Amino acid sequence: MFYREAGQFKDNYAADRAVFPILQDRIGLGVILLAAFLVVPLLGNAFFLNSIMTPFLIMALGAIGLNILVGYTGLLSLGTGAFMGVGAYAAYKLTTSFPQVNVLIWVMCSGFFAAAVGAVFGLPSLRIKGFYLAVATLAAQFFLQWSFVRVGWLYNHDPSGAIQIPARTLFGLPITGPHATPLTQYLVVLSIVVFMTLIASNIVHGRIGRSWMAVRDMDIAAQLMGIRLLPTKLLAFAVSSFFCGVAGALMVFFWLGAAEPVVFDINLSFKILFMVIIGGLGSLIGCFLGAALIHVLPIVIRMLPLGGDAAMVEHLTFLLVGALIIFFLIVEPHGLAQLWRLLKQKLRVWPFPY
């Protein structure tokens, strides 16, 4: 009886269109944010913050970007890793070229470069879709990854071919480089991810999001309703690539500290895609649930005392995660987000069966 919307009346349009119309949802979101900003930094050690929480948030942000394209617009993409690489290399070039500007500004601006590249490679989406569009974005993945290797200007002609993140500070506190603490980097990443998730939530619940979903459900009907397909699809590619670009910049600047082109290969694209599919298409919370299953769960499994050598543990980890993915797809093809929605619905009518 604790999860009820009875008696929660809406007396204006803003309250009726709220993303979280039920009071309990707003309280739950506040508790989650409080735990993320206070409890995790107090209880988590350096390994937990640097190896689990920070990459989890970055992967979730990348999954949000891909979900905007795949889940909300219905356009399949296999170039997520490359678009994340565009954001990383753009942030690196901007930071090294203009060191007097705060690094967080360049991290956010890197998303615009990724958005421009994503919009260019999204041009074929007006004529092709489905498997053929996936092949086109796969070509973007290989071309951009080739550029990361061959275009020396992108990594300042470093002999190693890698990008080394310089040390930068925020209010006198190191946030990048060897002197930055995992706690500081975690809080910076968490703040950016929360901010961008709020932006994504407002976009998908507004007019633009409804246009994307109309194109996803039936593009011909959407066009007959007055929705212009090319601008709508290109905007979806641009916004999706923007989020992926910022996620790639966060990955290199606040987690890895340095990166080679192989970091943004096709494996990263498939990993993000699996997070979206397992988490739930067209769901922002599903991006976090999918990232938790695909990225965090293997780390937790490796920490268990399974015995044997490292190779056996690695193969056993892949086996368990693959079995869990198949299990969740069979039990709930709509992803973990659908299980969460069903649980909330059961709580709303409990103790009655319907």
Side-chain angles (χ1 to χ4, degrees), residues 58-68 244 272 275-276 287-288 291:
I58 294 172
M59 294 298 175
L61 182 61
I64 289 175
L66 182 59
N67 211 346
I68 289 175
C244 293
I272 301 295
M275 292 178 185
V276 172
C287 299
F288 291 91

Side-chain angles (χ1 to χ4, degrees), residues 48-120:
F48 178 76
L49 295 175
N50 188 61
S51 299
I52 297 181
M53 292 305 301
T54 298
F56 158 70
L57 294 171
I58 294 172
M59 294 298 175
L61 182 61
I64 289 175
L66 182 59
N67 211 346
I68 289 175
L69 192 63
V70 179
Y72 287 98
T73 317
L75 303 174
L76 185 60
S77 173
L78 294 177
T80 308
F83 297 139
M84 293 176 68
V86 171
Y89 279 88
Y92 173 73
K93 286 296 299 183
L94 291 171
T95 302
T96 54
S97 301
F98 305 96
Q100 68 277 8
V101 181
N102 190 280
V103 65
L104 295 182
I105 296 178
W106 293 140
V107 167
M108 298 301 297
C109 289
S110 66
F112 292 103
F113 291 87
V117 175
V120 171

Side-chain angles (χ1 to χ4, degrees), residues 54-349:
T54 298
F56 158 70
L57 294 171
I58 294 172
M59 294 298 175
L61 182 61
I64 289 175
L66 182 59
N67 211 346
I68 289 175
L69 192 63
V70 179
Y72 287 98
T73 317
L75 303 174
L76 185 60
S77 173
L78 294 177
T80 308
F83 297 139
M84 293 176 68
V86 171
Y89 279 88
Y92 173 73
K93 286 296 299 183
L94 291 171
T95 302
T96 54
S97 301
F98 305 96
Q100 68 277 8
V101 181
N102 190 280
V103 65
L104 295 182
I105 296 178
W106 293 140
V107 167
M108 298 301 297
C109 289
S110 66
F112 292 103
F113 291 87
V117 175
V120 171
F121 285 102
L123 287 173
S125 63
L126 183 63
R127 298 300 182 186
I128 58 177
K129 57 184 178 179
F131 174 76
Y132 300 98
L133 182 60
V135 173
T137 56
L138 186 62
Q141 167 71 42
F142 291 131
F143 172 76
L144 291 173
Q145 190 176 354
W146 176 87
S147 301
F148 299 153
V149 177
R150 299 299 180 184
V151 182
W153 176 81
L154 292 175
Y155 50 86
N156 293 337
H157 301 281
D158 191 294
S160 65
I163 53 177
Q164 305 288 335
I165 303 305
R168 293 292 184 267
T169 60
L170 179 64
F171 303 117
L173 188 66
I175 58 176
T176 63
H179 300 292
T181 63
L183 175 59
T184 303
Q185 294 180 325
Y186 163 76
L187 291 176
V188 171
V189 171
L190 177 62
S191 301
I192 294 177
V193 170
V194 170
F195 172 70
M196 296 197 66
T197 303
L198 179 63
I199 293 178
S201 178
N202 283 275
I203 291 176
V204 300
H205 287 90
R207 179 184 60 85
I208 297 176
R210 291 193 295 270
S211 300
W212 287 341
M213 287 182 278
V215 172
R216 175 197 63 190
D217 295 337
M218 185 175 292
D219 53 356
I220 297 179
Q223 190 174 21
L224 293 176
M225 293 169 57
I227 298 176
R228 301 173 62 189
L229 294 184
L230 181 58
T232 302
K233 291 183 178 181
L234 289 185
L235 181 61
F237 266 97
V239 175
S240 171
S241 301
F242 178 87
F243 278 77
C244 293
V246 175
L250 292 177
M251 174 188 292
V252 177
F253 276 71
F254 298 97
W255 178 30
L256 300 177
E260 296 180 351
V262 70
V263 174
F264 308 103
D265 61 3
I266 188 64
N267 293 325
L268 179 60
S269 299
F270 278 115
K271 186 176 182 179
I272 301 295
L273 180 61
F274 293 155
M275 292 178 185
V276 172
I277 295 175
I278 299 301
L281 296 173
S283 171
L284 295 181
I285 191 174
C287 299
F288 291 91
L289 297 176
L293 179 66
I294 301 298
H295 181 76
V296 177
L297 185 60
I299 299 176
V300 175
I301 293 176
R302 293 189 190 101
M303 296 171 60
L304 298 177
L306 300 177
D309 57 2
M312 190 197 73
V313 174
E314 187 75 14
H315 288 106
L316 183 60
T317 300
F318 285 135
L319 180 63
L320 292 176
V321 173
L324 287 174
I325 291 174
I326 296 175
F327 171 77
F328 280 115
L329 287 178
I330 293 175
V331 173
E332 185 48 72
H334 296 289
L336 299 176
Q338 180 64 17
L339 296 178
W340 173 247
R341 285 190 288 264
L342 292 175
L343 177 61
K344 288 175 58 178
Q345 182 62 28
K346 293 295 183 180
L347 290 175
R348 290 171 71 176
V349 299

